[in-house]
Amino acid sequence: MKKIELKAKIKEALAQAVEYLALAKVIFLCSCITFVFSALHVYLDEKIYEELTLAFLMGTAFAIPATLLTQKLSSLKKYLFQILAAGAGFVLGFFSYRGFGNPIYKELYYFGILCSAILITLYLFIPKEESRTYFSLVFKYALFTLFMTLILMGGICLLTYAIQNLILNTAESEVYECSCLFCCIIFGINIFCYYLFYRRQEESSGKAFKVITLYILFPVFAVLLLILYIYLIKALVLLKLPNGQINWFVSFASCFYIVFYFILREYDELPVIKFFYKFGAIPFIPLIIIQIYAYCIRVNAYGFTGYRYSSLLFIIFSIITIALTFIKNGKFSRYAIPVLTFIVLFDSLTPWNLINMAHKSQFNRMMKVLNKYELYDSTSDSLKPYNPA
């Protein structure tokens, strides 16, 4: 009986794999090419292979929403559109990782575009019928994909180690790197895409997910909120201003709140979760006010850094998202994803990106000091003669 069940499960898994490959040929092909160039980079260590790896990875990311949007088109139009989308992603990935001519910005440009593509993809996959489980399923299957990828990675590395030591008597480390890249790029990406295409409309996220989120993570969030309020009461009693660290703790708490707001919808019939959706945003109003106050003190004293500027944009995002939860019982909260996408692009691609803003802030602070002590000659744009002692 068990053998029959096992055979049935294997046949079902193979049928699902074939069905996915029939739908996502371009995604699978792009992921395979990405892996090939990543392996070449591991063995040959040439910059061009790294650039091609990241370019094809971007192409893979662009192919995912293109595959969703073209499901009802004819085969010719479908594959033409998907290939064009992947090609556009490849071009953007290749030149953005070169900083569009300025290498200083290459990581900022590349990962800004990649993160934006991922966010827009998640937004486009939201089912047309209002789904209470979509975000919880995305969260669940992202964790599940990570877990399976790590298990496969460990298994392949163990087999590789056994073959190297027992049969080949070699000790190449590159094969381990390639094994890990295979697991992450080909297996990980395609498994998650399969779940995204075929499992995003399930009615329940499962008991294990409920235990992890509702009975473990949610109480941690509640305790963090309590600790923040105890700290604020302490500050009021001692008449001591909040220090710079409160910004990070409030940001973490805001992030937890936003994540829980999206992934706990299927449990909104429970009294605790019903209370959370009705009143959960209210405690953040004083916290964010104090956060802004402490943040302004910090920036006024030390100026912008890349982290502080990004933190400012996250504060703006959290204010917008929390405000959306008050409008028609959170009906428009899904638009927080496009808002976050815009903020990521603003923080990475515009002239007001985190590198430029941090540089401008610190440069102006330095010039203010130099001008104050008359150490700078604006005519020659150089330092005046001065006594270093």
Side-chain angles (χ1 to χ4, degrees):
M1 195 68 180
K2 289 183 178 180
K3 288 183 178 179
I4 295 173
E5 290 178 0
L6 181 60
K7 286 181 180 179
K9 288 182 179 180
I10 292 172
K11 285 182 180 179
E12 183 183 359
L14 290 174
Q16 290 172 346
V18 170
E19 185 180 4
Y20 167 75
L21 291 175
L23 171 71
K25 293 184 182 74
V26 176
I27 299 172
F28 182 72
L29 181 61
C30 286
S31 65
C32 289
I33 297 173
T34 302
F35 167 69
V36 169
F37 281 113
S38 67
L40 288 172
H41 176 61
V42 168
Y43 277 98
L44 302 178
D45 195 23
E46 293 185 13
K47 187 178 179 182
I48 185 62
Y49 294 126
E50 179 186 12
E51 293 173 339
L52 288 172
T53 297
L54 294 172
F56 275 107
L57 181 62
M58 185 77 79
T60 307
F62 274 56
I64 297 170
T67 303
L68 174 72
L69 296 173
T70 56
Q71 283 181 308
K72 295 181 180 180
L73 298 180
S74 63
S75 295
L76 180 61
K77 291 180 180 179
K78 179 192 300 184
Y79 294 121
L80 180 62
F81 186 84
Q82 291 175 19
I83 291 168
L84 287 174
F90 172 85
V91 172
L92 270 175
F94 187 82
F95 288 104
S96 65
Y97 195 66
R98 291 190 168 189
F100 296 119
N102 191 340
I104 292 174
Y105 299 97
K106 65 178 187 176
E107 285 91 358
L108 184 65
Y109 287 166
Y110 179 85
F111 290 106
I113 295 172
L114 183 62
C115 289
S116 300
I118 293 170
L119 288 169
I120 286 297
T121 298
L122 294 178
Y123 179 74
L124 291 174
F125 271 84
I126 296 176
K128 291 181 180 179
E129 305 79 18
E130 190 65 29
S131 175
R132 299 168 67 205
T133 59
Y134 170 72
F135 289 104
S136 58
L137 289 171
V138 168
F139 190 76
K140 167 190 170 179
Y141 286 125
L143 293 177
F144 193 47
T145 300
L146 176 63
F147 183 63
M148 288 195 298
T149 301
L150 291 174
I151 290 176
L152 181 64
M153 197 182 293
I156 291 177
C157 288
L158 178 62
L159 293 175
T160 302
Y161 182 78
I163 292 171
Q164 281 188 334
N165 285 272
L166 300 177
I167 300 174
L168 300 178
N169 293 321
T170 61
E172 290 184 5
S173 61
E174 291 83 0
V175 69
Y176 294 101
E177 293 181 54
C178 290
S179 298
C180 294
L181 289 168
F182 170 83
C183 294
C184 294
I185 296 172
I186 295 182
F187 180 80
I189 289 175
N190 286 284
I191 285 293
F192 182 70
C193 286
Y194 167 77
Y195 288 128
L196 205 55
F197 278 103
Y198 293 105
R199 298 290 184 87
R200 71 183 187 278
Q201 291 181 301
E202 292 178 346
E203 295 181 358
S204 172
S205 56
K207 291 182 179 179
F209 182 80
K210 182 178 181 180
V211 170
I212 293 171
T213 56
L214 199 57
Y215 301 132
I216 298 176
L217 295 179
F218 189 71
V220 170
F221 160 73
V223 172
L224 175 59
L225 208 57
L226 178 63
I227 290 171
L228 285 171
Y229 267 90
I230 292 173
Y231 172 76
L232 292 182
I233 294 170
K234 175 187 172 184
L236 288 172
V237 171
L238 299 178
L239 298 178
K240 183 180 179 182
L241 293 175
N243 61 37
Q245 291 182 339
I246 193 173
N247 175 46
W248 294 105
F249 286 111
V250 175
S251 293
F252 277 122
S254 301
C255 184
F256 269 116
Y257 171 77
I258 293 167
V259 170
F260 283 129
Y261 188 88
F262 282 104
I263 69 173
L264 294 179
R265 280 211 171 272
E266 64 177 304
Y267 312 119
D268 59 8
E269 294 178 356
L270 297 174
V272 174
I273 304 304
K274 190 180 291 185
F275 181 86
F276 168 76
Y277 277 108
K278 195 170 184 179
F279 302 107
I282 295 175
F284 283 92
I285 296 174
L287 284 177
I288 289 175
I289 292 172
I290 296 296
Q291 179 186 27
I292 293 171
Y293 177 71
Y295 179 85
C296 289
I297 293 174
R298 196 77 173 174
V299 170
N300 187 56
Y302 301 106
F304 276 130
T305 62
Y307 288 116
R308 288 195 195 109
Y309 183 65
S310 297
S311 178
L312 172 63
L313 295 179
F314 180 78
I315 292 171
I316 295 170
F317 166 70
S318 62
I319 292 172
I320 294 171
T321 304
I322 291 172
L324 287 173
T325 65
F326 286 103
I327 303 172
K328 292 187 176 181
N329 295 321
K331 182 179 179 180
F332 303 108
S333 58
R334 65 164 62 184
Y335 296 114
I337 299 177
V339 169
L340 182 58
T341 304
F342 173 79
I343 289 174
V344 169
L345 290 174
F346 183 85
D347 195 25
S348 55
L349 297 184
T350 68
W352 301 278
N353 63 61
L354 66 91
I355 292 177
N356 288 347
M357 293 301 288
H359 175 268
K360 183 179 178 180
S361 174
Q362 297 301 321
F363 180 80
N364 288 339
R365 287 174 59 80
M366 181 182 69
M367 294 304 298
K368 186 177 180 180
V369 173
L370 292 176
N371 289 323
K372 179 181 179 180
Y373 295 100
E374 299 181 350
L375 296 175
Y376 176 69
D377 184 359
S378 59
T379 305
S380 62
D381 190 24
S382 61
L383 292 174
K384 292 178 180 180
Y386 67 97
N387 183 357

Short mmCIF file of all heavy atoms in Angstrom, two decimals, residues 289-335:
data_model
loop_
_atom_site.label_atom_id
_atom_site.label_comp_id
_atom_site.label_asym_id
_atom_site.label_seq_id
_atom_site.Cartn_x
_atom_site.Cartn_y
_atom_site.Cartn_z
N ILE A 289 6.00 59.15 16.19
CA ILE A 289 6.28 60.55 16.54
C ILE A 289 7.60 60.66 17.30
O ILE A 289 8.45 61.51 16.99
CB ILE A 289 5.12 61.13 17.37
CG1 ILE A 289 3.86 61.26 16.49
CG2 ILE A 289 5.50 62.50 17.94
CD1 ILE A 289 2.61 61.63 17.26
N ILE A 290 7.78 59.77 18.30
CA ILE A 290 9.03 59.76 19.06
C ILE A 290 10.21 59.38 18.16
O ILE A 290 11.31 59.92 18.26
CB ILE A 290 8.93 58.78 20.25
CG1 ILE A 290 7.87 59.25 21.24
CG2 ILE A 290 10.28 58.61 20.93
CD1 ILE A 290 8.18 60.58 21.90
N GLN A 291 9.97 58.40 17.25
CA GLN A 291 11.02 57.98 16.32
C GLN A 291 11.49 59.14 15.46
O GLN A 291 12.70 59.35 15.27
CB GLN A 291 10.50 56.85 15.43
CG GLN A 291 11.51 56.34 14.42
CD GLN A 291 10.90 55.33 13.46
OE1 GLN A 291 9.69 55.36 13.20
NE2 GLN A 291 11.72 54.45 12.94
N ILE A 292 10.55 59.90 14.92
CA ILE A 292 10.90 61.05 14.07
C ILE A 292 11.69 62.09 14.88
O ILE A 292 12.69 62.64 14.40
CB ILE A 292 9.63 61.68 13.47
CG1 ILE A 292 8.98 60.70 12.48
CG2 ILE A 292 9.96 63.00 12.77
CD1 ILE A 292 7.62 61.12 11.99
N TYR A 293 11.24 62.31 16.13
CA TYR A 293 11.93 63.28 16.99
C TYR A 293 13.37 62.84 17.24
O TYR A 293 14.32 63.63 17.09
CB TYR A 293 11.17 63.41 18.30
CG TYR A 293 11.83 64.32 19.32
CD1 TYR A 293 11.86 65.69 19.14
CD2 TYR A 293 12.41 63.78 20.47
CE1 TYR A 293 12.47 66.52 20.07
CE2 TYR A 293 13.02 64.60 21.41
CZ TYR A 293 13.04 65.97 21.20
OH TYR A 293 13.65 66.78 22.13
N ALA A 294 13.56 61.57 17.64
CA ALA A 294 14.91 61.05 17.91
C ALA A 294 15.75 61.05 16.64
O ALA A 294 16.96 61.33 16.68
CB ALA A 294 14.82 59.65 18.50
N TYR A 295 15.11 60.73 15.52
CA TYR A 295 15.82 60.68 14.23
C TYR A 295 16.33 62.08 13.86
O TYR A 295 17.47 62.23 13.41
CB TYR A 295 14.88 60.14 13.16
CG TYR A 295 15.49 60.06 11.79
CD1 TYR A 295 16.24 58.96 11.41
CD2 TYR A 295 15.33 61.11 10.88
CE1 TYR A 295 16.80 58.89 10.15
CE2 TYR A 295 15.90 61.05 9.63
CZ TYR A 295 16.63 59.94 9.26
OH TYR A 295 17.20 59.88 8.02
N CYS A 296 15.50 63.09 14.04
CA CYS A 296 15.91 64.46 13.69
C CYS A 296 17.09 64.91 14.54
O CYS A 296 18.01 65.59 14.05
CB CYS A 296 14.73 65.41 13.88
SG CYS A 296 13.42 65.20 12.65
N ILE A 297 17.08 64.54 15.84
CA ILE A 297 18.21 64.88 16.71
C ILE A 297 19.49 64.25 16.18
O ILE A 297 20.55 64.88 16.11
CB ILE A 297 17.94 64.41 18.16
CG1 ILE A 297 16.79 65.22 18.77
CG2 ILE A 297 19.19 64.52 19.01
CD1 ILE A 297 16.36 64.73 20.14
N ARG A 298 19.38 62.98 15.78
CA ARG A 298 20.55 62.23 15.30
C ARG A 298 21.09 62.84 14.01
O ARG A 298 22.30 63.04 13.86
CB ARG A 298 20.13 60.77 15.05
CG ARG A 298 21.30 59.79 14.92
CD ARG A 298 21.87 59.47 16.27
NE ARG A 298 22.88 58.42 16.18
CZ ARG A 298 23.62 58.03 17.19
NH1 ARG A 298 23.47 58.59 18.37
NH2 ARG A 298 24.51 57.07 17.05
N VAL A 299 20.20 63.13 13.07
CA VAL A 299 20.64 63.68 11.78
C VAL A 299 21.21 65.08 11.96
O VAL A 299 22.20 65.45 11.32
CB VAL A 299 19.46 63.69 10.78
CG1 VAL A 299 19.82 64.46 9.52
CG2 VAL A 299 19.07 62.26 10.42
N ASN A 300 20.59 65.87 12.84
CA ASN A 300 21.08 67.21 13.09
C ASN A 300 22.49 67.20 13.69
O ASN A 300 23.31 68.08 13.42
CB ASN A 300 20.13 67.95 14.04
CG ASN A 300 20.51 69.41 14.21
OD1 ASN A 300 20.62 70.15 13.24
ND2 ASN A 300 20.71 69.82 15.45
N ALA A 301 22.76 66.17 14.50
CA ALA A 301 24.08 66.07 15.15
C ALA A 301 25.15 65.49 14.22
O ALA A 301 26.30 65.94 14.23
CB ALA A 301 23.97 65.23 16.41
N TYR A 302 24.77 64.49 13.40
CA TYR A 302 25.79 63.76 12.63
C TYR A 302 25.56 63.77 11.12
O TYR A 302 26.39 63.26 10.37
CB TYR A 302 25.84 62.30 13.10
CG TYR A 302 26.15 62.15 14.57
CD1 TYR A 302 25.15 61.80 15.47
CD2 TYR A 302 27.43 62.38 15.06
CE1 TYR A 302 25.42 61.67 16.82
CE2 TYR A 302 27.71 62.26 16.41
CZ TYR A 302 26.70 61.90 17.28
OH TYR A 302 26.98 61.78 18.62
N GLY A 303 24.44 64.31 10.66
CA GLY A 303 24.18 64.34 9.23
C GLY A 303 23.68 63.00 8.70
O GLY A 303 23.53 62.03 9.44
N PHE A 304 23.42 62.98 7.42
CA PHE A 304 22.96 61.75 6.77
C PHE A 304 24.11 60.79 6.54
O PHE A 304 25.22 61.19 6.20
CB PHE A 304 22.33 62.06 5.41
CG PHE A 304 20.89 62.47 5.46
CD1 PHE A 304 20.45 63.61 4.81
CD2 PHE A 304 19.96 61.72 6.18
CE1 PHE A 304 19.13 63.99 4.86
CE2 PHE A 304 18.63 62.09 6.23
CZ PHE A 304 18.22 63.23 5.57
N THR A 305 23.81 59.50 6.71
CA THR A 305 24.63 58.42 6.14
C THR A 305 23.69 57.64 5.23
O THR A 305 22.48 57.91 5.20
CB THR A 305 25.19 57.50 7.24
OG1 THR A 305 24.08 56.89 7.93
CG2 THR A 305 26.04 58.26 8.23
N GLY A 306 24.23 56.68 4.50
CA GLY A 306 23.38 55.87 3.64
C GLY A 306 22.29 55.17 4.44
O GLY A 306 21.12 55.13 4.03
N TYR A 307 22.65 54.63 5.62
CA TYR A 307 21.68 53.93 6.46
C TYR A 307 20.62 54.90 7.00
O TYR A 307 19.43 54.57 7.03
CB TYR A 307 22.39 53.24 7.62
CG TYR A 307 23.19 52.02 7.21
CD1 TYR A 307 24.58 51.99 7.36
CD2 TYR A 307 22.55 50.92 6.67
CE1 TYR A 307 25.30 50.87 6.99
CE2 TYR A 307 23.28 49.79 6.29
CZ TYR A 307 24.66 49.78 6.45
OH TYR A 307 25.38 48.67 6.06
N ARG A 308 21.05 56.07 7.42
CA ARG A 308 20.08 57.02 7.99
C ARG A 308 19.12 57.52 6.91
O ARG A 308 17.92 57.71 7.17
CB ARG A 308 20.80 58.21 8.63
CG ARG A 308 21.49 57.84 9.92
CD ARG A 308 21.89 59.07 10.73
NE ARG A 308 22.83 58.67 11.76
CZ ARG A 308 24.12 58.97 11.77
NH1 ARG A 308 24.62 59.72 10.80
NH2 ARG A 308 24.91 58.55 12.73
N TYR A 309 19.62 57.74 5.71
CA TYR A 309 18.75 58.20 4.63
C TYR A 309 17.74 57.12 4.26
O TYR A 309 16.54 57.39 4.09
CB TYR A 309 19.59 58.58 3.42
CG TYR A 309 18.77 59.13 2.28
CD1 TYR A 309 18.08 60.33 2.40
CD2 TYR A 309 18.69 58.45 1.07
CE1 TYR A 309 17.32 60.84 1.36
CE2 TYR A 309 17.94 58.95 0.02
CZ TYR A 309 17.26 60.15 0.18
OH TYR A 309 16.50 60.63 -0.85
N SER A 310 18.21 55.87 4.15
CA SER A 310 17.29 54.76 3.86
C SER A 310 16.29 54.59 5.00
O SER A 310 15.12 54.26 4.77
CB SER A 310 18.08 53.46 3.65
OG SER A 310 18.92 53.57 2.52
N SER A 311 16.74 54.82 6.24
CA SER A 311 15.85 54.74 7.39
C SER A 311 14.75 55.78 7.29
O SER A 311 13.59 55.52 7.61
CB SER A 311 16.64 54.91 8.68
OG SER A 311 15.79 54.88 9.80
N LEU A 312 15.10 56.99 6.84
CA LEU A 312 14.10 58.04 6.65
C LEU A 312 13.04 57.61 5.65
O LEU A 312 11.83 57.79 5.88
CB LEU A 312 14.78 59.32 6.17
CG LEU A 312 13.85 60.46 5.74
CD1 LEU A 312 13.01 60.94 6.91
CD2 LEU A 312 14.65 61.61 5.13
N LEU A 313 13.47 57.02 4.54
CA LEU A 313 12.52 56.57 3.52
C LEU A 313 11.64 55.44 4.05
O LEU A 313 10.46 55.35 3.72
CB LEU A 313 13.27 56.12 2.26
CG LEU A 313 14.04 57.23 1.53
CD1 LEU A 313 14.75 56.66 0.31
CD2 LEU A 313 13.10 58.36 1.11
N PHE A 314 12.22 54.57 4.89
CA PHE A 314 11.40 53.51 5.49
C PHE A 314 10.38 54.08 6.45
O PHE A 314 9.24 53.58 6.53
CB PHE A 314 12.27 52.47 6.20
CG PHE A 314 11.45 51.36 6.82
CD1 PHE A 314 10.96 50.34 6.02
CD2 PHE A 314 11.14 51.37 8.17
CE1 PHE A 314 10.17 49.33 6.58
CE2 PHE A 314 10.37 50.36 8.73
CZ PHE A 314 9.88 49.35 7.92
N ILE A 315 10.75 55.12 7.20
CA ILE A 315 9.79 55.77 8.09
C ILE A 315 8.62 56.33 7.28
O ILE A 315 7.46 56.17 7.66
CB ILE A 315 10.47 56.89 8.90
CG1 ILE A 315 11.48 56.29 9.89
CG2 ILE A 315 9.44 57.72 9.65
CD1 ILE A 315 12.36 57.32 10.57
N ILE A 316 8.94 56.95 6.15
CA ILE A 316 7.89 57.48 5.27
C ILE A 316 7.00 56.35 4.77
O ILE A 316 5.76 56.46 4.77
CB ILE A 316 8.51 58.25 4.09
CG1 ILE A 316 9.24 59.50 4.58
CG2 ILE A 316 7.45 58.62 3.05
CD1 ILE A 316 10.08 60.19 3.54
N PHE A 317 7.63 55.23 4.35
CA PHE A 317 6.86 54.08 3.88
C PHE A 317 5.96 53.52 4.98
O PHE A 317 4.78 53.21 4.74
CB PHE A 317 7.81 52.98 3.38
CG PHE A 317 7.15 51.65 3.19
CD1 PHE A 317 6.24 51.43 2.17
CD2 PHE A 317 7.43 50.60 4.07
CE1 PHE A 317 5.63 50.20 2.00
CE2 PHE A 317 6.81 49.37 3.90
CZ PHE A 317 5.91 49.18 2.87
N SER A 318 6.49 53.39 6.20
CA SER A 318 5.68 52.84 7.29
C SER A 318 4.52 53.76 7.64
O SER A 318 3.41 53.29 7.93
CB SER A 318 6.56 52.59 8.52
OG SER A 318 7.12 53.79 9.01
N ILE A 319 4.73 55.09 7.57
CA ILE A 319 3.64 56.03 7.84
C ILE A 319 2.54 55.88 6.79
O ILE A 319 1.34 55.82 7.12
CB ILE A 319 4.17 57.49 7.86
CG1 ILE A 319 5.07 57.70 9.09
CG2 ILE A 319 3.01 58.48 7.86
CD1 ILE A 319 5.79 59.03 9.09
N ILE A 320 2.94 55.79 5.51
CA ILE A 320 1.95 55.64 4.43
C ILE A 320 1.19 54.33 4.59
O ILE A 320 -0.05 54.29 4.47
CB ILE A 320 2.65 55.70 3.06
CG1 ILE A 320 3.23 57.09 2.81
CG2 ILE A 320 1.68 55.33 1.93
CD1 ILE A 320 4.11 57.18 1.57
N THR A 321 1.92 53.24 4.86
CA THR A 321 1.28 51.92 4.98
C THR A 321 0.32 51.87 6.16
O THR A 321 -0.80 51.36 6.04
CB THR A 321 2.35 50.82 5.13
OG1 THR A 321 3.27 50.90 4.03
CG2 THR A 321 1.71 49.44 5.14
N ILE A 322 0.76 52.39 7.30
CA ILE A 322 -0.11 52.39 8.48
C ILE A 322 -1.32 53.29 8.23
O ILE A 322 -2.44 52.96 8.65
CB ILE A 322 0.68 52.83 9.73
CG1 ILE A 322 1.68 51.73 10.11
CG2 ILE A 322 -0.25 53.12 10.90
CD1 ILE A 322 2.66 52.11 11.19
N ALA A 323 -1.13 54.39 7.52
CA ALA A 323 -2.27 55.26 7.17
C ALA A 323 -3.26 54.52 6.28
O ALA A 323 -4.48 54.67 6.43
CB ALA A 323 -1.77 56.52 6.48
N LEU A 324 -2.77 53.69 5.36
CA LEU A 324 -3.65 52.94 4.47
C LEU A 324 -4.51 51.94 5.23
O LEU A 324 -5.63 51.62 4.80
CB LEU A 324 -2.82 52.20 3.41
CG LEU A 324 -2.20 53.06 2.30
CD1 LEU A 324 -1.27 52.21 1.43
CD2 LEU A 324 -3.26 53.71 1.44
N THR A 325 -4.01 51.45 6.37
CA THR A 325 -4.79 50.48 7.14
C THR A 325 -6.03 51.12 7.78
O THR A 325 -6.97 50.41 8.15
CB THR A 325 -3.94 49.83 8.25
OG1 THR A 325 -3.55 50.83 9.21
CG2 THR A 325 -2.69 49.19 7.68
N PHE A 326 -6.03 52.46 7.92
CA PHE A 326 -7.18 53.14 8.51
C PHE A 326 -8.28 53.43 7.47
O PHE A 326 -9.40 53.74 7.84
CB PHE A 326 -6.74 54.47 9.14
CG PHE A 326 -5.99 54.31 10.42
CD1 PHE A 326 -4.62 54.44 10.46
CD2 PHE A 326 -6.65 54.01 11.61
CE1 PHE A 326 -3.92 54.30 11.65
CE2 PHE A 326 -5.97 53.87 12.80
CZ PHE A 326 -4.60 54.01 12.82
N ILE A 327 -7.94 53.34 6.20
CA ILE A 327 -8.88 53.72 5.14
C ILE A 327 -9.72 52.51 4.73
O ILE A 327 -9.18 51.51 4.22
CB ILE A 327 -8.13 54.28 3.92
CG1 ILE A 327 -7.27 55.49 4.33
CG2 ILE A 327 -9.11 54.69 2.82
CD1 ILE A 327 -6.36 56.00 3.24
N LYS A 328 -11.01 52.57 4.95
CA LYS A 328 -11.95 51.52 4.56
C LYS A 328 -11.48 50.13 5.00
O LYS A 328 -11.43 49.19 4.21
CB LYS A 328 -12.19 51.55 3.05
CG LYS A 328 -12.94 52.79 2.59
CD LYS A 328 -13.30 52.70 1.12
CE LYS A 328 -14.13 53.92 0.70
NZ LYS A 328 -14.53 53.85 -0.73
N ASN A 329 -11.09 50.06 6.27
CA ASN A 329 -10.65 48.78 6.86
C ASN A 329 -9.50 48.13 6.10
O ASN A 329 -9.45 46.91 5.95
CB ASN A 329 -11.83 47.81 6.95
CG ASN A 329 -12.91 48.30 7.89
OD1 ASN A 329 -12.60 48.86 8.94
ND2 ASN A 329 -14.17 48.11 7.51
N GLY A 330 -8.59 48.97 5.62
CA GLY A 330 -7.41 48.44 4.95
C GLY A 330 -7.63 47.96 3.53
O GLY A 330 -6.83 47.19 3.00
N LYS A 331 -8.71 48.44 2.90
CA LYS A 331 -9.04 47.99 1.55
C LYS A 331 -7.93 48.30 0.56
O LYS A 331 -7.71 47.56 -0.42
CB LYS A 331 -10.35 48.66 1.10
CG LYS A 331 -10.83 48.23 -0.27
CD LYS A 331 -12.13 48.93 -0.63
CE LYS A 331 -12.59 48.52 -2.03
NZ LYS A 331 -13.86 49.19 -2.41
N PHE A 332 -7.20 49.40 0.78
CA PHE A 332 -6.17 49.83 -0.15
C PHE A 332 -4.76 49.48 0.33
O PHE A 332 -3.77 49.98 -0.21
CB PHE A 332 -6.26 51.34 -0.38
CG PHE A 332 -7.60 51.79 -0.89
CD1 PHE A 332 -8.47 52.50 -0.06
CD2 PHE A 332 -8.00 51.49 -2.18
CE1 PHE A 332 -9.71 52.90 -0.52
CE2 PHE A 332 -9.24 51.89 -2.65
CZ PHE A 332 -10.10 52.59 -1.82
N SER A 333 -4.66 48.63 1.34
CA SER A 333 -3.35 48.31 1.90
C SER A 333 -2.44 47.60 0.91
O SER A 333 -1.21 47.69 1.01
CB SER A 333 -3.50 47.45 3.16
OG SER A 333 -4.21 46.25 2.88
N ARG A 334 -3.01 46.90 -0.07
CA ARG A 334 -2.18 46.22 -1.07
C ARG A 334 -1.32 47.20 -1.86
O ARG A 334 -0.28 46.83 -2.42
CB ARG A 334 -3.05 45.41 -2.03
CG ARG A 334 -3.99 46.27 -2.89
CD ARG A 334 -4.53 45.50 -4.07
NE ARG A 334 -5.33 44.36 -3.68
CZ ARG A 334 -5.84 43.49 -4.54
NH1 ARG A 334 -5.63 43.67 -5.85
NH2 ARG A 334 -6.57 42.48 -4.14
N TYR A 335 -1.75 48.48 -1.92
CA TYR A 335 -0.98 49.48 -2.67
C TYR A 335 0.30 49.87 -1.94
O TYR A 335 1.10 50.66 -2.47
CB TYR A 335 -1.84 50.70 -2.95
CG TYR A 335 -3.03 50.39 -3.84
CD1 TYR A 335 -4.32 50.48 -3.37
CD2 TYR A 335 -2.83 49.97 -5.16
CE1 TYR A 335 -5.41 50.16 -4.18
CE2 TYR A 335 -3.91 49.65 -5.97
CZ TYR A 335 -5.19 49.75 -5.48
OH TYR A 335 -6.26 49.43 -6.28
#
